[in-house]
Amino acid sequence: MPQAPQQVLAPRRKTRQIQVGSVAVGGDAPVSVQSMCTTKTTDIGATLQQIAELTAAGCDIVRVAVPSQDDADALPAIASHSNIPVVADIHFQPRYVFQAIEAGCAGVRVNPGNIRKFDDQIADIAKAASDHGVALRIGVNAGSLDKRLLEKYGRATPEAMVESAVWEASLFEDVGFHDFAISVKHHDPVVMIETYRQLSARGDWPLHLGVTEAGPAFQGTIKSSVAFGVLLAEGIGDTIRVSLSAPPIEEVRVGLKILESLNLRERKLEIVSCPSCGRAQVDVYTLAEDVTAGLEGMKVPLRVAVMGCVVNGPGEARDADLGVASGNGKGQIFVKGEVVKTVPESEIVATLIAEANRLAADLPASDDAHVEVITA
């Protein structure tokens, strides 16, 4: 039977499509997930190892820092050996922009607020990028906004950041260069949301979403999820980076899960588990954690319900691909809506893992999902 279309909250905003190496950004391309290496770029081996780990986790585009000449010198080896597009992150020194382009990087992030005499070199940067097929990202950041705009607006308001982005975009467009995305990042999700809304209304540039300096893993996940959820639900955003004070692989996991939750990526393994309450007659916390650990790495779209009582348990378990409704020290195992067996609590985890692997063997690793828009 054909799959039902996945429902999304709003159609994607129509943006110009650019190419970042092998990854299309904007237009009708899927929303891509980015992260940034935490290694020293000069340590080529460690950087490539981290890129390989990020690639395996599902990262689409990776950024590396280029604060020094030695970092710039390492770019050719990194760009040529990475399996995903590499974007060089450039601040302060415009000469590194040209080196990154020559090095074979798929993209270069430039920060207009802190590159000296940046505007004077727009034409040369645009020509070099165009000649080499390299995309750019104009990365406006609240923490490094041009001093002239800070004096005009008093602080990094949405209006100030949008003015910076639109001005820089116009300089590139005036010399005929259009292969760029824009980001306008702020640490406050409310300000960030309003800034992207305003920027989205000003042009068809592909937008890179980010809450900058979002914080440690828990706080940063919440702030990014709130901000991305609002904007993506409005159809705004073409590529995302979750900024966490945590290993970058966690950024990718959070980003992918945000997209899956909004049906902007095909859902893979999804664990549905109850929060537990006084009705629970089994240890739901441990069951859910053990099932999740046992199925880690599963790439197929499978919904597994781990439920702890008879109130919502049977319904949720029946609605999932695979589920358990637990009570009185045992669990009823459901597969595709039907009870297939009842097992003791001690056997629930092993039974669910075995059934999940059996179901997974009959499912494709990935499917191109189509979507349908829900409107209120």
Side-chain angles (χ1 to χ4, degrees):
M1 292 180 62
Q3 285 189 328
Q6 292 193 34
Q7 297 172 325
V8 296
L9 294 171
R12 290 278 300 285
R13 165 182 170 269
K14 300 298 182 184
T15 59
R16 177 191 310 159
Q17 187 171 103
I18 64 172
Q19 202 69 31
V20 183
S22 59
V23 177
V25 175
D28 59 358
V31 179
S32 53
V33 175
Q34 303 194 26
S35 186
M36 186 170 183
C37 286
T38 57
T39 55
K40 298 293 185 185
T41 305
T42 51
D43 190 338
I44 295 171
T47 300
L48 287 172
Q49 175 62 35
Q50 191 167 74
I51 291 174
E53 293 168 356
L54 290 168
T55 303
C59 186
D60 299 305
I61 299 170
V62 66
R63 188 156 42 113
V64 296
V66 189
S68 73
Q69 183 61 56
D70 289 341
D71 296 304
D73 292 341
L75 290 175
I78 293 170
S80 63
H81 289 89
S82 173
N83 288 325
I84 57 176
V86 173
V87 173
D89 192 66
I90 309 295
H91 300 268
F92 305 115
Q93 291 292 346
R95 71 175 185 273
Y96 298 156
V97 175
F98 296 99
Q99 280 194 254
I101 291 171
E102 293 283 349
C105 291
V108 179
R109 181 271 176 109
V110 292
N111 187 337
N114 61 23
I115 294 185
R116 291 194 293 271
K117 298 183 178 179
F118 178 77
D119 290 355
D120 297 340
Q121 303 188 60
I122 293 290
D124 292 335
I125 291 172
K127 184 179 186 308
S130 182
D131 289 347
H132 290 79
V134 174
L136 302 179
R137 171 160 67 93
I138 298 172
V140 177
N141 195 298
S144 54
L145 198 61
D146 189 291
K147 291 181 180 178
R148 293 167 293 183
L149 291 170
L150 288 176
E151 290 172 0
K152 177 179 178 179
Y153 290 96
R155 56 191 174 87
T157 64
E159 292 75 18
M161 297 179 68
V162 169
E163 181 173 328
S164 175
V166 172
W167 167 252
E168 298 299 337
S170 72
L171 295 180
F172 279 104
E173 290 169 340
D174 285 348
V175 296
F177 186 80
H178 301 276
D179 295 331
F180 61 87
I182 302 178
S183 62
V184 280
K185 297 186 178 183
H186 198 286
H187 67 273
D188 184 328
V190 174
V191 177
M192 176 267 200
I193 290 167
E194 179 58 24
T195 305
Y196 276 99
R197 281 174 170 165
Q198 290 187 22
L199 182 60
S200 176
R202 295 287 297 273
D204 67 347
W205 311 288
L207 299 183
H208 170 114
L209 302 187
V211 178
T212 191
E213 290 99 32
F218 177 76
Q219 173 181 293
T221 295
I222 298 298
K223 290 171 72 172
S224 297
S225 298
V226 168
F228 293 1
V230 169
L231 291 169
L232 291 168
E234 295 176 0
I236 298 172
D238 301 288
T239 184
I240 64 173
R241 188 237 171 148
V242 177
S243 298
L244 301 177
S245 299
I249 196 169
E250 295 302 320
E251 298 183 347
V252 174
R253 288 172 176 161
V254 173
L256 288 170
K257 191 55 66 177
I258 291 171
L259 295 182
E260 288 177 20
S261 297
L262 292 166
N263 284 341
L264 295 172
R265 282 282 181 110
E266 182 187 29
R267 298 192 186 202
K268 295 184 172 61
L269 177 66
E270 180 182 11
I271 304 294
V272 177
S273 60
C274 62
S276 191
C277 65
R279 297 189 299 265
Q281 295 176 316
V282 296
D283 184 352
V284 179
Y285 299 151
T286 301
L287 282 180
E289 288 177 357
D290 290 349
V291 170
T292 300
L295 299 179
E296 184 176 3
M298 184 169 282
K299 303 296 185 184
V300 298
L302 194 67
R303 188 166 182 261
V304 180
V306 182
M307 306 301 295
C309 81
V310 297
V311 174
N312 297 316
E316 289 285 358
R318 187 176 290 110
D319 192 49
D321 299 300
L322 169 66
V324 60
S326 309
N328 295 321
K330 57 187 178 182
Q332 282 189 317
I333 306 297
F334 290 76
V335 176
K336 300 295 184 181
E338 302 292 334
V339 177
V340 296
K341 63 183 72 173
T342 300
V343 299
E345 181 178 351
S346 61
E347 297 178 15
I348 289 175
V349 173
T351 303
L352 287 176
I353 292 172
E355 291 292 338
N357 286 322
R358 184 180 64 78
L359 289 171
D362 297 327
L363 290 170
S366 65
D367 251 329
D368 290 332
H370 53 296
V371 300
E372 135 181 80
V373 178
I374 301 178
T375 54

